[in-house]
Amino acid sequence: MQTLTITRPDDWHLHLRDGAALASTVSDVSVNFARGMVMPNLSPPIVNTAQAQVYREKILAARPPDSDWQPLMTLYLTDNTAAEEITRAQASGFIHGVKYYPAGATTNSDAGVSHIGKASKVLERMQEIGMPLQIHGEVTDPDIDIFDRETVFIDRILMRLVKRFPELKIIVEHITTSNAVEFVTNSDKNISATITPQHLLFNRNHLLAGGIRPHFYCLPVLKRSTHQQALIDAATSGDSRFFLGTDSAPHTRASKESACGCAGCYSHHAAIQLYAEVFARADALDKLEGFASHFGADFYNLPRNSSKITLRRQAWQLPQASRLGNEEMTPLYAGETLQWQAENDAD
Ligand code: NCD
Ligand code: ZN
């Protein structure tokens, strides 16, 4: 296969940041994608509908001329979120989810939920009105090994949550383990998961063997290759509960190349091309369109896109650097060669 035309994809989990960064991040995402679920972990976080509206306007204003790329907004769940806020968010028409960060689990998550029991009323309301819950599925207990934090979260928190709210729509974000794949596979249709390009292309050897490589550091952290293979199998299976969410998370080069480097990989310099690489290597390019362009929209009850993009088999070298406002960052797989280009790249 030399070319592949698919419905224009959507990204169901990404970080655009704020301020000067927006011009760079929004212009990158709008090249090949139609819509993106914009994570609310700004500082301070986006905790209500009014803040989401202001943030959305800024994002829309940062789009390149003629772009019709659409931001989909989500609220940051805290111990103080009120059930009424969920109803307001639903009524806004532009908020499509609520994001649950266990407090302290990742970048800008300090204001997250200290104990999920505190959110019972909110979760009840979400279940009732069909508002999806997007979960960063890691425990934060310092006694739990960082490589086990997702699995322990599933066992201790997620299983109980699903029992207590059996109709709640849940997206387990950026899954990294065979345990998470199994959990979703054995669940009902209201449970789904997003998968990032870094967790499909790499494992913890890429991060740690032969030297520490901070640009592969994200949360949840890369796991061993058997988990990577389970994710590849899930993404390329055609099971509609697994869909695209890049978790593209920009950080300046200086903040990652540091004694205490930030968590997050930037992938919107080449997101669909990175996924195409995975699907091509797995001989499953025929499954890319469902994963990238259909299943997420279906899960969120949004229409599928009508426009298309074309991928072409032609080797190209990824840039060494991307802009992040007035600074530079090192994007995922910088300087390496990919086999697939998107139509827009050749313009
Ligand atoms: C994300 C970020 O930088 O905002 N970092 C990451 O490692 N993925 C936050 C997140 O989604 O966990
Ligand atoms: Zn994220």
Side-chain angles (χ1 to χ4, degrees), residues 132-144:
L133 180 70
Q134 302 148 334
I135 300 183
H136 184 112
E138 287 191 289
V139 291
T140 55
D141 186 337
D143 294 342
I144 306 294

Side-chain angles (χ1 to χ4, degrees), residues 13 15 17 41 101 106-107 136 174 218-219 247 249 251 263-264:
H13 180 128
H15 302 264
R17 312 299 190 211
N41 62 331
Y101 291 104
T106 186
T107 308
H136 184 112
H174 41 51
C218 67
L219 288 170
D247 195 17
H251 292 276

Side-chain angles (χ1 to χ4, degrees), residues 305-326:
N305 299 312
S306 49
S307 59
K308 311 246 175 214
I309 62 164
T310 296
L311 297 163
R312 191 163 13 85
R313 189 195 292 277
Q314 189 171 65
W316 65 296
Q317 201 183 8
L318 276 77
Q320 290 288 355
S322 290
R323 298 297 307 166
L324 181 60
N326 305 318

Side-chain angles (χ1 to χ4, degrees), residues 69-121:
W69 182 84
Q70 287 296 325
L72 308 170
M73 309 308 287
T74 173
L75 293 187
Y76 187 117
L77 185 63
T78 76
D79 286 349
N80 301 318
T81 305
E84 294 70 53
E85 193 57 51
I86 305 302
T87 311
R88 228 184 334 269
Q90 174 95 319
S92 77
F94 57 78
I95 296 174
H96 300 272
V98 174
K99 180 66 191 272
Y100 162 25
Y101 291 104
T106 186
T107 308
N108 289 341
S109 64
D110 292 349
V113 177
S114 65
H115 189 286
I116 192 62
K118 295 199 170 162
S120 294
K121 289 230 154 54

Side-chain angles (χ1 to χ4, degrees), residues 326-338:
N326 305 318
E327 306 202 55
E328 273 202 348
M329 60 183 160
T330 300
L332 192 66
Y333 222 24
E336 301 293 331
T337 299
L338 286 178

Side-chain angles (χ1 to χ4, degrees), residues 3 40 67 126-128 131 164 184 194 217 251 305 318:
T3 64
S67 167
M126 290 173 64
Q127 175 170 256
E128 196 182 303
M131 176 68 90
R164 171 110 200 261
V184 173
T194 53
Y217 177 60
H251 292 276
N305 299 312
L318 276 77

